[in-house]
């Protein structure tokens, strides 16, 4: 399959439409990519999967040479920009996250940044995002084609810990910033276990299982919220 055909089977048209508007509205958002053309290593930045922290740490991969690609765009834009041959020679990476955890994090982010009304419930946020076909809520659209095939070579789980993921790139020979860094995009809103349990009503669970079935399957996460709550309880 050629690179051009790969682009046609990704979610690229949706990204181009979405981010033309984003770039018009958020011109201050510097499109800093994590791409080292000499070492041929690329980390795609999926929103709410630690991308801001990774930019702060992976100093050797910060790249401003692709202003036409918004930093959260997916594989379609990169395949088209690099070409099929260079894409295939590039060591491509992505960080994925438990869909339950990621959606709740994105909900907190939207409240914190006043992108939705402060009194909106998680249910309201989720239904509106799905109805709007907001590309931020589906992480698989960043790295998969429309058949659900993962188009990056390495997928690492957020739950491994961002500092451990940084060590992986350090071992690949990438220059890493050794000092302390602020997690500038970190949610200031931190829901406790009872609040999370209250958000995951039977109706919401059914909706998430339906809309994010692909992600639970291809990324090998349990769609049972009990499993998620058990993992979350270890962190609290």
């Amino acid at each position: 399959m050629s690179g051009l055909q790969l682009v046609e089977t990704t979610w690229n048209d949706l990204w181009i439409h979405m981010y033309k508007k984003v770039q018009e509205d958020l011109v201050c958002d510097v499109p800093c990519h994590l791409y080292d053309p000499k070492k041929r290593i690329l980390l795609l930045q999926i929103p709410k999967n630690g991308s801001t922290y990774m930019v702060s740490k992976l100093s050797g991969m910060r790249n401003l040479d692709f202003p036409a690609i918004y930093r959260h765009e997916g594989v379609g834009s990169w395949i088209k920009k690099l070409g099929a041959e260079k894409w295939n020679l590039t060591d491509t990476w992505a960080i994925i996250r438990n869909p339950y955890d990621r959606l709740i994090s994105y909900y907190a982010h939207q409240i914190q940044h006043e992108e939705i009304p402060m009194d909106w419930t998680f249910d309201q946020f989720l239904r509106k995002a799905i109805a709007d076909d907001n590309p931020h809520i589906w992480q698989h659209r960043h790295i998969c084609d429309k058949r659900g095939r993962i188009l990056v070579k390495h997928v690492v789980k957020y739950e491994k810990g961002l500092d451990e993921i940084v060590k992986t790139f350090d071992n690949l020979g990438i220059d890493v910033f050794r000092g302390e860094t602020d997690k500038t995009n970190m949610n200031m809103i931190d829901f406790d276990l009872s609040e999370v349990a209250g958000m995951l009503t039977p109706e919401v669970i059914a909706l998430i299982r339906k809309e994010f079935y692909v992600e639970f399957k291809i990324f090998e996460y349990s769609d049972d919220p009990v499993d998620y709550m058990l993992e979350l309880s270890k962190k609290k």
Side-chain angles (χ1 to χ4, degrees):
M1 182 177 286
S2 72
L4 182 59
Q5 288 175 317
L6 278 174
V7 172
E8 290 171 349
T9 61
T10 65
W11 304 91
N12 205 49
D13 290 342
L14 176 63
W15 283 108
I16 289 172
H17 172 75
M18 173 72 178
Y19 286 115
K20 276 183 179 177
K21 184 176 188 310
V22 169
Q23 286 180 313
E24 289 169 2
D25 294 345
L26 302 175
V27 291
C28 62
D29 195 342
V30 178
C32 181
H33 305 292
L34 292 174
Y35 172 57
D36 186 331
K38 293 183 179 179
K39 291 187 171 66
R40 293 177 175 171
I41 300 175
L42 168 67
L43 172 62
L44 273 78
Q45 299 179 58
I46 302 176
K48 303 314 302 170
N49 287 10
S51 57
T52 300
Y53 186 65
M54 298 305 286
V55 167
S56 73
K57 297 298 289 186
L58 300 182
S59 55
M61 288 179 67
R62 294 177 198 151
N63 193 309
L64 300 174
D65 291 341
F66 299 91
I69 302 179
Y70 182 70
R71 72 187 185 99
H72 286 312
E73 281 186 74
V75 292
S77 294
W78 281 100
I79 295 170
K80 189 171 184 179
K81 186 69 179 179
L82 297 179
E85 182 177 357
K86 190 176 289 186
W87 170 265
N88 290 331
L89 292 173
T90 300
D91 202 21
T92 48
W93 293 74
I95 301 171
I96 58 170
R97 188 173 184 177
N98 184 302
Y100 286 116
D101 198 47
R102 186 172 176 275
L103 289 168
I104 290 171
S105 177
Y106 188 36
Y107 169 56
H109 175 91
Q110 290 231 310
I111 292 176
Q112 179 178 319
H113 293 276
E114 300 181 353
E115 296 174 13
I116 59 175
M118 293 287 290
D119 60 351
W120 268 30
T121 65
F122 180 61
D123 188 315
Q124 287 175 297
F125 148 76
L126 186 60
R127 293 182 189 279
K128 180 68 163 56
I130 291 171
D132 289 347
D133 203 24
N134 182 339
H136 272 333
I137 66 169
W138 285 283
Q139 59 189 322
H140 74 279
R141 292 186 179 185
H142 293 73
I143 61 173
C144 296
D145 64 17
K146 291 188 177 182
R147 297 181 184 179
R149 296 176 298 185
I150 298 173
L151 300 182
V152 297
K153 294 175 182 174
H154 308 282
V155 172
V156 60
K157 292 191 173 183
Y158 179 92
E159 293 76 17
K160 179 179 180 179
L162 295 180
D163 289 327
E164 286 300 312
I165 297 172
V166 169
K167 289 180 184 177
T168 299
F169 286 92
D170 190 9
N171 292 335
L172 291 173
I174 297 297
D175 290 334
V176 172
F177 178 67
R178 307 290 176 182
E180 292 295 323
T181 59
D182 293 329
K183 295 185 179 181
T184 54
N185 206 28
M186 188 175 183
N187 292 333
M188 301 305 292
I189 300 172
D190 186 22
F191 301 114
D192 61 31
L193 287 173
S194 63
E195 288 175 310
V196 173
M199 294 177 197
L200 298 176
T201 64
E203 294 78 15
V204 166
I205 293 168
L207 181 61
I208 292 174
R209 282 174 165 169
K210 175 186 175 185
E211 294 293 336
F212 298 88
Y213 166 78
V214 171
E215 294 190 5
F216 286 114
K217 182 179 180 180
I218 63 177
F219 297 149
E220 298 181 346
Y221 284 105
S222 169
D223 69 353
D224 187 338
V226 173
D227 293 332
Y228 165 58
M229 292 296 292
L230 286 172
E231 288 300 315
L232 190 61
S233 68
K234 298 175 184 177
K235 304 175 187 177
K236 298 291 186 180

